[in-house]
Amino acid sequence: MTYRGEIIQAEVLAVLDRQTCPMSAYAILDEMRKSTPGMAPPTIYRALAALRKRGYVQRVESMNAFIAYRGGRRRHGAVLSICDDCGLVEQNDAPELIRDIGAITGQSGFAAARYVVEVHGLCASCGDGGVSA
C-alpha cells in the first residue's frame, strides 16, 4: 500500500467514524470531495476494500452502505441491528452465534469466509422499545 493510500483510508475511516448511520460509497465520496475536490469513486472503493480486509469497516449488505466498527478492528462478524426508520445501526458482538452459524454451515464442509448478520426493525427511540409483533 502506498503512503497516499494509507492517508485516504484514514480519511475514509474518519468520515465513517463521525456517522451513526451507514454511508454509501458515493456519500463518502461527497464528504471527501469537500477537502479533496478531484477524488474519484475508484479511490473510495479501493480504500473501503482495504479497510474491510483489515477489519475496520463493515458493509451493511441490505443497504449497500458501510459503517466503521466501533471500538476499532474486528476479526469476526457482528450482529447489526438496523433501524428502518432513522437508519441507526447498532453493532453487537455475538461470538456464540457466529460460532454456531459456522458449525451449522460447516456440517456440509462449507468454509465460511465472512459473516453478515443483519436484523431490521425499529430502535428504542423510533419504535415501541424493541417489542415486535
Side-chain angles (χ1 to χ4, degrees):
M1 171 179 12
T2 66
Y3 179 68
R4 176 166 161 66
E6 292 172 354
I7 292 171
I8 292 169
Q9 287 177 34
E11 291 172 356
V12 167
L13 190 56
V15 167
L16 288 171
D17 274 336
R18 291 191 296 267
Q19 305 301 314
T20 58
C21 297
M23 293 182 76
S24 70
Y26 278 91
I28 296 167
L29 176 64
D30 290 343
E31 187 66 27
M32 299 276 296
R33 282 183 172 162
K34 292 176 183 176
S35 61
T36 311
M39 187 72 61
T43 304
I44 300 302
Y45 282 109
R46 280 192 298 271
L48 287 167
L51 289 166
R52 284 181 71 192
K53 184 176 181 181
R54 292 173 43 216
Y56 289 102
V57 169
Q58 169 70 48
R59 182 169 186 256
V60 181
E61 303 283 340
S62 62
M63 299 175 79
N64 194 24
F66 300 86
I67 57 171
Y69 279 126
R70 301 291 179 227
R73 187 174 183 209
R74 270 217 178 98
R75 288 188 169 81
H76 58 81
V79 175
L80 304 177
S81 301
I82 304 165
C83 181
D84 290 327
D85 191 27
C86 71
L88 176 73
V89 175
E90 296 176 358
Q91 302 171 35
N92 302 288
D93 286 321
E96 299 85 16
L97 177 62
I98 300 300
R99 186 177 47 248
D100 289 348
I101 292 171
I104 291 166
T105 58
Q107 290 174 358
S108 65
F110 184 82
R114 64 187 174 93
Y115 298 86
V116 179
V117 180
E118 299 180 14
V119 181
H120 283 264
L122 298 175
C123 70
S125 296
C126 294
D128 54 5
V131 178
S132 58

